[in-house]
Amino acid sequence: MRTPVVAGNWKMNGSKSTVTALLQGLKQGLNPGRASVVVCAPFPFLGLVADELSGSAIQWGAQNASQYPAGAYTGEVSVGMLQEFGCSHVILGHSERRALFSEQNEQIAAKFMAVIDAGLTPILCVGETLEQREAGTTAQVVEEQLMAVVDAAGVIAFSKAILAYEPVWAIGTGRTASPQQAQEVHETLRKRLAAVDGAVADKLPILYGGSVKAANAAELFACPDIDGGLIGGASLDAEAFLAICHAAE
Ligand code: 13P
């Protein structure tokens, strides 16, 4: 039995006041249950998030990290720095970083290894564009994104990781993958990993992301290979995010 995970990806949103209000709403409203709940905040808010969430049932993390431990890398943030702020999770390879900041599989794999080596949990994102889906290459694209990291980091590293399937065409568009579409890709990913290591594949949480809302979460999370969600827009609203967490119970 895999533990459900609901992770919020705040992206580049929020202010000190809205973050404080959001976290207080989450702390007050969350009924501790079976699901792990994580919020991934912009770097400057991590100190505030740590102060607010310490001692609560909610874990927190970042949306990116450098593959390097320290040095002359202007603008970068190391995994060690994230640890100092109590982060437990790091989102890696999000499609926005792949598309807008030119992150490639090789660099994402190096970041993944840095996060694993520090004992933090990477949330590795994979997903196809609409063009790739329409060309019938979805399975090939997501398997390639997954296997680039498996080949570099080793399959055992995935016993400490989370995978997120986020179809690019469903992110921020209001157009969610149907439960059947999402389940099909989740199953493909799990089978591909099972071809390398069945036990690791069986235990790996695979989250769905892309326009998840309170209204569609339960149906998605009921699919056998969907173990929770990576939530963008709806994670900025305490009530909406709590309803999604509830749907994962
Ligand atoms: P939305 O939930 O806003 O579509 O974003 C999904 C996402 O990119 C989470 O990482």
Side-chain angles (χ1 to χ4, degrees):
M1 192 73 171
R2 294 180 291 268
T3 302
V5 180
V6 178
N9 175 8
W10 294 352
K11 307 193 180 183
M12 196 174 76
N13 290 297
S15 63
K16 287 201 272 186
S17 64
T18 64
V19 164
T20 305
L22 174 57
L23 294 174
Q24 284 174 357
L26 294 181
K27 279 193 297 187
Q28 277 159 21
L30 189 74
N31 298 316
R34 207 165 64 84
S36 296
V37 176
V38 186
V39 293
C40 295
F43 295 132
F45 298 138
L46 287 173
L48 173 59
V49 173
D51 288 345
E52 285 290 338
L53 294 184
S54 291
S56 81
I58 305 169
Q59 297 175 280
W60 62 95
Q63 302 166 15
N64 185 26
S66 173
Q67 67 266 47
Y68 304 113
Y73 302 104
T74 302
E76 290 292 284
V77 171
S78 75
V79 172
M81 294 171 188
L82 299 181
Q83 276 182 305
E84 279 210 89
F85 285 90
C87 289
S88 53
H89 293 69
V90 185
I91 296 172
L92 294 175
H94 192 281
S95 64
E96 287 151 16
R97 297 218 55 89
R98 293 179 191 260
L100 305 174
F101 303 100
S102 309
E103 287 198 9
Q104 307 287 324
N105 281 333
E106 196 179 294
Q107 185 187 13
I108 294 162
K111 292 177 176 211
F112 183 97
M113 288 187 276
V115 169
I116 287 281
D117 286 349
L120 272 57
T121 305
I123 303 177
L124 174 67
C125 303
V126 300
E128 83 288 3
T129 62
L130 186 58
E131 207 176 24
Q132 290 165 331
R133 172 160 285 264
E134 284 172 350
T137 58
T138 298
Q140 188 192 325
V141 168
V142 297
E143 286 185 21
E144 234 171 71
Q145 290 169 336
L146 169 64
M147 293 313 293
V149 181
V150 173
D151 289 342
V155 69
I156 297 305
F158 278 78
S159 58
K160 298 176 202 140
I162 294 173
L163 187 62
Y165 168 56
E166 298 205 310
V168 177
W169 49 271
I171 295 176
T173 58
R175 187 177 161 188
T176 319
S178 69
Q180 295 73 20
Q181 283 174 319
Q183 165 58 27
E184 187 184 349
V185 179
H186 282 231
E187 190 180 349
T188 298
L189 287 164
R190 198 179 304 284
K191 281 194 173 148
R192 183 64 191 87
L193 197 64
V196 187
D197 190 316
V200 171
D202 195 42
K203 290 203 189 87
L204 178 71
I206 308 181
L207 314 185
Y208 168 78
S211 298
V212 178
K213 303 175 203 67
N216 58 25
E219 210 188 348
L220 285 158
F221 299 166
C223 297
D225 288 293
I226 301 182
D227 306 309
L230 182 55
I231 320 300
S235 72
L236 297 169
D237 180 283
E239 203 180 320
F241 190 63
L242 287 166
I244 295 168
C245 294
H246 184 65
E249 291 301 331

